[in-house]
Amino acid sequence: MVEVIELEGTDGSSSTAGIDDRLGEDYLADGPLSSYLGDTERVAFVIHAKRGGVTVEGDGDSETYKPTRGHRTLVAITDLRLVIAIGGADAGGDRVIPIPFSSVTRIDTESGLLRKRLLVHTEAGEQWSLPGGGDLQAIVSYLEECTAAWSQVNRFAVRIDEQLATAQDRLDDGEPDAARQAAEEVLSVIAAGREQVGTFDIGERVLAHADLDSYREAVRALQRRALATLADDHVERADRYEAAGRLRPAHAALRDARDAAAQARSIDADQPPDGEIEGRLQSVERDLARLEDQPRETATTALREAESIDDPQQRARRLADALSAHRDWLGLCWGPDAPFAGDPETIRERVLEIVDALVGAHTSVIERLLAAAERLHANGRTEQALAACDEADDRLAAAREVVAELAPDREPTVVQWRIATDHRRALIEYDVSRDGSEHSIERDDHVTSGRTSAGDDRSDHEETIVAGITARDPDSAESSGSDLDPTDTSSWVSITDDPDDSRDSAADHRATLDTEIQAMDESRFTEFIAACWRELGWETTIFAHSSAKYDIMAIRRRAIDLRVLIWTVHTPGQDLEASVVDRCVTDRDDTERADAAALVTTADVPEPVRQRAADHDIKLLDRDELLDLVEDERLADLVLDAE
């Protein structure tokens, strides 16, 4: 006899406790049917067979399990599975066989003359034949719906697993954004699965057992790791942009890093730890604050450095850099949403101040260039004089470009210097067309002395600077004999400034000069140094090394003559010894009427030796400074003349 009990569940009879009450007797050997069911399972049907057993067929074999005397066969059909309990069929104990709906592939029935059977096929290739009675259609319909619902669960679970694996692969391959997108897709699959399974009448109970939401923990872990990695990638991108000077993209990348780290922190997962993510956030906030202040700091530092430079040529170059930095700063802090620190109106005012300073620096260099052009022409070096005028023109063009764009009201200043430059060029070209030849300078082969016309024709207010020694004319109204400082090094003359596009060729030219100077022998080097001083308006006398304390005497003729003692040490590649400085000090102190002393050397100068010279007021002109003098004062042709 087989009884089919349908449990509606409205009165709680479908609970595990309600099942035992409905059965009313102990039909199993080891305990009630409820002991084989989970607390959360809800029972829809129970098949109760007094004598009927269960047969399983598969792989050509068949086996039947029957209850022992006094026991029964019970089949509980829940919302999760079939649970077959055969009393006493397993060595006196109950044989319990669970068949999850997720493994069921087909449900059939079989009717015979005396009995009906319920046939359950599984994906393992087994067919279970269960006792049945009465109308099995309700059971079949319920089982088919459960099987279909669980089939959907399995299908979506496979998709979820595949998508999780894809997300993990993307993360392992260093593609955190793709990993995050794949993890988001997992959530979409979970939502679709819940919606699809929910269309079944039993869908909610199936979903409760399937627990698709349990995948969300794995998704959260992937999302948190991907976002933390993405934040690091954004920081690296910001570093690259900043190194390239692209501050806006760098700032945007840091904001992206901050957002990604904040999102990672908001996700409930264990890795990376909260402390590590918090550290990322704090680091990004510091970088943002630093970057937002960087344009202001760069601009103010550039201006401060420019203002600290006395040489007008170098100051002009630095002021141009400061002007560019301030214009960049203005562009970055402009607009209501600009994140960079700075007040546009204040920056505009400072830009105009820099323009004034830059024009002033350019005109100072132009003034020096025109004076050099006059001197060079007076010394018969017309080609170099015209080249100095060309450089003055370049300076004027640079000044005019800045003024025209940023401060048109400063145009009259530039025009005045354009008139002065054109006038100087016209005078030189007129003399050349009139005379048809350049002046010549007489030189003595043994004791060289002389004064150039430039030295005689200098203005009473003019300074002469050679090797860092500045000699203001003692006859000038601006200085008296008591105020004369013949060793003042505060005002080095620099009259050239290679444009950016010609710096490579200038470097090549400098290297050529260096090579030629190093190739000189000691005697020719001394003659070359004397020629440099003489070219700049001094009388020079060369002494033989074997008979003199010093190598050159340079005299500047005025009401009060200025005498400079010069030693030359031509030893390229060797270190200058301190004893050489000591000898210069001794010989200078033993020489009457010596106003200043200079040591010109091609040797390498150790810092202690340089300091020793400074302490004893010996003006030291090293190899680089000698090259600066040659280039600045346009004495390159003297390098060849000394051969």
Side-chain angles (χ1 to χ4, degrees):
M1 176 181 177
V2 178
E3 178 186 11
V4 176
I5 303 173
E6 183 174 358
L7 303 172
E8 295 295 336
T10 55
D11 57 356
S13 60
S14 60
S15 66
T16 54
I19 294 168
D20 296 334
D21 293 339
R22 291 289 300 271
L23 291 175
E25 298 181 30
D26 295 333
Y27 295 124
L28 299 175
D30 297 330
L33 179 61
S34 62
S35 64
Y36 300 121
L37 302 176
D39 293 339
T40 60
E41 287 185 83
R42 294 177 61 187
V43 181
F45 298 92
V46 173
I47 299 176
H48 175 205
K50 294 183 178 180
R51 292 183 296 276
V54 174
T55 301
V56 57
E57 299 178 3
D59 294 333
D61 296 329
S62 176
E63 189 172 0
T64 301
Y65 307 106
K66 291 185 178 182
T68 58
R69 182 180 295 276
H71 300 123
R72 306 290 174 87
T73 295
L74 300 176
V75 180
I77 302 174
T78 75
D79 51 5
L80 176 63
R81 56 186 176 166
L82 289 86
V83 179
I84 304 169
I86 305 168
D90 190 6
D94 298 329
R95 177 177 288 275
V96 180
I97 305 164
I99 302 177
F101 287 134
S102 59
S103 67
V104 174
T105 58
R106 192 171 81 249
I107 304 295
D108 292 324
T109 59
E110 182 181 77
S111 298
L113 181 63
L114 300 176
R115 63 177 185 173
K116 293 182 179 180
R117 305 288 290 182
L118 181 66
L119 305 179
V120 178
H121 302 267
T122 70
E123 60 185 11
E126 297 174 332
Q127 174 185 283
W128 292 85
S129 177
L130 310 178
D135 186 5
L136 295 179
Q137 187 57 45
I139 294 179
V140 171
S141 296
Y142 179 80
L143 289 176
E144 287 178 344
E145 180 168 356
C146 287
T147 299
W150 279 101
S151 176
Q152 290 291 337
V153 168
N154 289 343
R155 184 170 64 86
F156 279 100
V158 170
R159 287 179 57 190
I160 291 169
D161 288 335
E162 290 175 348
Q163 199 63 33
L164 280 173
T166 297
Q168 184 63 57
D169 289 342
R170 296 291 184 271
L171 188 58
D172 293 341
D173 291 341
E175 302 176 33
D177 201 37
R180 187 165 60 94
Q181 294 175 8
E184 291 289 342
E185 183 63 25
V186 173
L187 297 179
S188 298
V189 175
I190 291 173
R194 290 186 60 84
E195 181 179 0
Q196 185 70 32
V197 175
T199 60
F200 294 93
D201 292 340
I202 199 174
E204 290 301 322
R205 282 182 284 169
V206 171
L207 287 172
H209 291 297
D211 194 15
L212 292 179
D213 288 339
S214 63
Y215 286 102
R216 294 182 184 274
E217 181 176 352
V219 172
R220 288 194 297 270
L222 275 167
Q223 286 177 317
R224 184 171 170 120
R225 290 173 55 206
L227 284 166
T229 303
L230 191 61
D232 291 341
D233 289 351
H234 286 316
V235 170
E236 291 180 5
R237 184 162 56 91
D239 289 342
R240 291 194 298 271
Y241 281 136
E242 184 178 355
R246 302 177 61 190
L247 299 191
R248 284 189 185 277
H251 192 276
L254 285 175
R255 289 201 306 268
D256 291 342
R258 180 179 60 189
D259 294 344
Q263 290 181 52
R265 183 179 59 181
S266 69
I267 294 175
D268 183 18
D270 294 334
Q271 294 297 326
D274 289 341
E276 185 176 324
I277 293 180
E278 190 63 34
R280 280 185 172 92
L281 273 171
Q282 293 176 5
S283 177
V284 170
E285 291 291 357
R286 288 193 298 270
D287 285 344
L288 276 170
R290 175 188 55 77
L291 192 66
E292 288 168 1
D293 193 53
Q294 182 174 318
R296 182 197 65 80
E297 181 64 25
T298 299
T300 54
T301 299
L303 181 57
R304 186 166 55 248
E305 291 177 352
E307 292 174 339
S308 69
I309 297 173
D310 293 327
D311 178 72
Q313 170 185 303
Q314 296 181 21
R315 185 168 66 252
R317 184 182 298 123
R318 293 297 183 89
L319 283 170
D321 293 340
L323 179 60
S324 177
H326 276 76
R327 298 183 70 179
D328 290 343
W329 180 20
L330 179 61
L332 288 169
C333 72
W334 175 260
D337 299 325
F340 296 93
D343 175 50
E345 291 303 320
T346 301
I347 300 171
R348 286 193 190 94
E349 293 175 2
R350 190 177 295 180
V351 164
L352 292 178
E353 293 172 0
I354 296 173
V355 169
D356 285 337
L358 180 57
V359 171
H362 280 314
T363 55
S364 293
V365 177
I366 292 168
E367 184 177 12
R368 299 282 183 87
L369 285 165
L370 295 182
E374 181 182 7
R375 172 179 58 80
L376 290 165
H377 178 54
N379 290 343
R381 300 168 65 196
T382 303
E383 183 178 348
Q384 289 87 343
L386 291 174
C389 291
D390 290 341
E391 289 193 24
D393 286 339
D394 292 340
R395 285 284 177 178
L396 279 169
R400 168 166 274 176
E401 182 179 357
V402 172
V403 166
E405 181 179 3
L406 300 174
D409 56 323
R410 276 70 166 175
E411 180 72 18
T413 300
V414 179
V415 171
Q416 291 175 2
W417 282 101
R418 165 58 61 194
I419 295 171
T421 302
D422 290 345
H423 178 67
R424 174 57 56 196
R425 182 188 296 276
L427 288 176
I428 296 172
E429 291 176 345
Y430 173 76
D431 286 346
V432 171
S433 64
R434 182 188 63 183
D435 298 340
S437 63
E438 297 184 358
H439 299 284
S440 61
I441 302 174
E442 296 183 359
R443 299 178 57 183
D444 193 320
D445 292 337
H446 302 287
V447 178
T448 307
S449 64
R451 295 176 60 187
T452 66
S453 58
D456 294 332
D457 296 338
R458 290 179 185 271
S459 168
D460 286 344
H461 300 286
E462 191 170 351
E463 291 180 345
T464 300
I465 306 172
V466 181
I469 301 172
T470 303
R472 180 176 294 277
D473 184 356
D475 296 336
S476 102
E478 296 181 3
S479 63
S480 64
S482 59
D483 295 331
L484 178 63
D485 181 4
T487 59
D488 177 21
T489 59
S490 62
S491 302
W492 282 69
V493 172
S494 180
I495 66 170
T496 60
D497 184 20
D498 294 324
D500 291 340
D501 59 357
S502 64
R503 288 183 181 175
D504 290 341
S505 60
D508 293 340
H509 178 63
R510 185 181 179 92
T512 300
L513 291 176
D514 188 25
T515 301
E516 293 292 339
I517 291 173
Q518 290 190 60
M520 296 177 183
D521 60 24
E522 189 169 355
S523 176
R524 285 190 297 175
F525 179 72
T526 301
E527 292 178 0
F528 165 63
I529 299 303
C532 290
W533 252 261
R534 188 170 56 255
E535 179 68 23
L536 296 173
W538 298 71
E539 293 181 6
T540 60
T541 303
I542 299 176
F543 297 88
H545 286 285
S546 60
S547 61
K549 298 178 180 179
Y550 40 83
D551 301 307
I552 303 170
M553 167 75 80
I555 302 176
R556 171 76 166 168
R557 297 294 186 185
R558 287 294 185 266
I560 299 177
D561 292 344
L562 175 68
R563 287 178 170 81
V564 178
L565 309 181
I566 304 173
W567 288 264
T568 59
V569 179
H570 184 49
T571 54
Q574 300 181 26
D575 285 347
L576 183 67
E577 297 180 356
S579 60
V580 175
V581 175
D582 294 339
R583 178 173 62 83
C584 293
V585 173
T586 300
D587 292 344
R588 178 198 61 190
D589 294 344
D590 290 342
T591 302
E592 294 183 2
R593 193 64 182 89
D595 299 302
L599 172 60
V600 184
T601 182
T602 56
D604 297 329
V605 184
E607 189 56 35
V609 177
R610 188 182 300 277
Q611 186 60 48
R612 192 178 188 88
D615 292 343
H616 292 281
D617 204 18
I618 301 294
K619 305 307 173 184
L620 195 149
L621 191 71
D622 65 16
R623 177 173 154 192
D624 285 335
E625 292 163 336
L626 176 58
L627 287 170
D628 289 340
L629 176 68
V630 171
E631 291 184 319
D632 292 348
E633 298 296 342
R634 298 184 167 273
L635 304 174
D637 56 331
L638 297 182
V639 175
L640 299 177
D641 289 345
E643 293 185 357

